[in-house]
Amino acid sequence: MRVGIVCPYAWDVPGGVQQHIGDLAEALTAMGHEVSVLAPVGDADHTPPPYLVPAGRPVPVPYNGSVARLSFGPRTAARVRRWIAEGGFDVLHIHEPAAPSVSLLACWAAEGPIVATFHTSNPRSRAMAATSNALRSALEKINARVAVSEAARRTLVEHVGGDAVLIPNGVSVRRFARADPLPGWPGEGGSIGFLGRLDEPRKGLATLLAAFTRMAPHRPGLRLLVAGPGEPDLSGVPEPLRERVVLLGRLDDADKVRAYHSADVFCAPNLGGESFGIVLTEAMAAGAAVVASDIPAFAAVLDGGGAGELFRVGDPEHLAERAGALLDSPELRAHLSVAARKAVRAYDWDTVAADIAHVYETVLMGDGESGEGSDVVRLRGGRP
C-alpha cells in the first residue's frame, strides 16, 4: 500500500506522537509499504528522514495542559492539499485529528479512505470541547478510528462520541534490549534514572527530585540520572545534594538506549495526561526495574504492578519508599526485569504495525463506511 501519515506536532521537537509516527513509518516500510509523513518543521537545519514532507513552520500553542507546536492557516492548508493530491495514497492515516493543526486540515481536504489515531488522554480537554463541531465534520469522513489506550478511547467517547479500536503504542524491543551503560553508570551507590521533558510539570520531575531529597542523605552514593530537553528547577534540592543530580540534556537515539541501561531503577513519575507512556515501554524493553506513578495508563502497561512498582501519583514519600525497596533488593529488580521484558512483547512494533496495516486493509476492502456506526474494526484473532 501507499500510505500517507499526518503528524500535527512539530517533527523537530521530541514527543511521544512524533516518535510513534516515525517508528510506525519505519515498521511499515520494512513490511514493504510506501510511506510519506507530513508534519510541521520549525528548525531549518533539521535533517529530516527520507519519508518526511515539511508542512510549514509551527507556532507554540497551549494545548491539553502542555505547549504544542502546531501549524495552521491558508499556507499550511495549501501544502496539505498539494501533498494529498500529489501523494496518490491508498489510505491516509491521520494522528490526533482534534489538534488544530495539519491533521484537522488533512481531514477536511481528504476524499479517500481515512484512518485516524487518537493519543490524547484528558477527561477535561478544553481543546476537544472547543473544536467538537469542527471535529465531528471531520470524523464523518473517517473510516476507522484507533485509540492507543483505554484512556485515549474514553477521552474520544466522552468528547466526540462513537468508539475506536484499541491498538497500543509500539516499541522496538530489539533496539532497546541490549546496550552498554553510559560511562561511570550506574555506580556503586545506586542510581535512579529519568527521561522526559525537564520543564513540563506533568512529567513529574519535581516529585522525583523531592523523593531523591528524602533518600539521598541516607544513601551517600545515590545519584539521579536526568535526561531530556529543557531546564529543570532544582531550587528544592539542597545545595550539597545537587552535584548528585546529573543532567545529561537531550540524548541522541543511541545514548538514550544506553541511559535506560545506566540506572538501577528507572522512574516514570508523571502526574497525568498520559494516554500510554512510550518512555515506560522503552524502559521495559531495556529490562529496567521500573517504578512509576499509578496513573491508569501506566498501571495498565505495567500489568497492575506485575511488571513494575507503582506509587501514589504525586507522592514523593511513597516514591522514595518504593524506589528504596528496589535499590535494596537486587532479587526484586531482577524479577521485575524479567516480568517487564515479557510484558512488553505485546507492544513490539512487529505486532503493532501488523495490526495497524490490518486496519488499512479492512478499510480498503470496504468492510466499513465512514460515519458514526462503523468506526470499530476487528483485528486478527478477533481482538476488538
Side-chain angles (χ1 to χ4, degrees):
M1 290 175 283
R2 182 159 174 76
V3 182
I5 304 178
V6 184
C7 174
Y9 307 132
W11 191 263
D12 48 315
V13 177
V17 174
Q18 297 93 314
Q19 183 172 334
H20 173 100
I21 292 171
D23 288 346
L24 173 60
E26 293 178 8
L28 291 172
T29 300
M31 294 168 65
H33 305 294
E34 295 181 60
V35 179
S36 177
V37 175
L38 183 73
V41 178
D43 184 357
D45 297 326
H46 175 73
T47 303
Y51 52 75
L52 185 70
V53 176
R57 294 184 62 83
V59 294
V61 177
Y63 183 71
N64 279 336
S66 181
V67 176
R69 287 158 178 82
L70 311 172
S71 185
F72 203 82
R75 279 188 172 182
T76 301
R79 288 190 179 100
V80 170
R81 289 193 298 269
R82 184 167 59 250
W83 175 75
I84 292 174
E86 295 175 354
F89 303 116
D90 296 306
V91 63
L92 201 61
H93 188 171
I94 296 174
H95 289 256
E96 295 286 57
S101 186
V102 291
S103 290
L104 188 56
L105 292 172
C107 274
W108 287 336
E111 297 297 337
I114 301 175
V115 172
T117 290
F118 295 81
H119 299 258
T120 297
S121 170
N122 190 343
R124 295 173 298 278
S125 175
R126 291 191 297 270
M128 266 198 180
T131 61
S132 59
N133 289 334
L135 183 56
R136 284 192 178 92
S137 70
L139 286 178
E140 290 175 357
K141 303 173 72 174
I142 291 172
N143 301 85
R145 306 180 197 174
V146 175
V148 299
S149 69
E150 178 57 35
R153 189 197 70 82
R154 190 180 308 115
T155 299
L156 168 65
V157 170
E158 291 176 355
H159 287 281
V160 180
D163 209 338
V165 59
L166 294 179
I167 303 179
N169 280 309
V171 62
S172 177
V173 171
R174 286 184 294 274
R175 183 192 307 169
F176 290 90
R178 289 180 176 80
D180 294 327
L182 297 168
W185 293 89
E188 294 296 328
S191 61
I192 301 173
F194 170 92
L195 274 76
R197 287 201 62 87
L198 310 187
D199 52 2
E200 190 169 327
R202 70 185 179 94
K203 299 302 180 182
L205 179 59
T207 301
L208 176 56
L209 291 172
F212 177 77
T213 299
R214 287 167 167 77
M215 300 171 68
H218 312 291
R219 298 173 181 270
L222 180 64
R223 292 185 296 165
L224 192 59
L225 182 157
V226 177
E231 292 294 328
D233 180 6
L234 300 181
S235 60
V237 180
E239 191 70 38
L241 300 180
R242 290 186 191 176
E243 65 180 17
R244 291 157 62 184
V245 179
V246 182
L247 305 177
L248 302 182
R250 182 182 295 177
L251 302 178
D252 61 26
D253 289 343
D255 280 344
K256 183 173 73 168
V257 176
R258 298 178 71 188
Y260 287 118
H261 291 266
S262 299
D264 295 300
V265 174
F266 178 80
C267 182
N270 306 51
L271 302 180
E274 305 290 344
S275 67
F276 184 78
I278 289 178
V279 69
L280 201 59
T281 53
E282 289 177 348
M284 293 166 68
V290 173
V291 57
S293 55
D294 61 356
I295 61 176
F298 286 3
V301 172
L302 289 174
D303 194 22
E309 292 283 349
L310 295 168
F311 72 93
R312 290 187 294 273
V313 60
D315 187 338
E317 288 190 12
H318 196 212
L319 170 54
E321 175 190 319
R322 294 290 82 214
L326 284 174
L327 289 169
D328 292 337
S329 176
E331 295 81 7
L332 179 56
R333 295 202 304 271
H335 169 74
L336 290 179
S337 174
V338 172
R341 289 183 187 273
K342 181 178 180 181
V344 81
R345 291 175 194 161
Y347 305 104
D348 188 77
W349 269 116
D350 288 346
T351 300
V352 174
D355 283 346
I356 292 174
H358 182 57
V359 173
Y360 299 162
E361 293 163 1
T362 303
V363 167
L364 290 173
M365 287 189 296
D367 285 0
E369 308 224 356
S370 58
E372 289 293 325
S374 60
D375 342 77
V376 180
V377 299
R378 291 280 163 186
L379 297 180
R380 294 181 179 87
R383 196 179 82 191

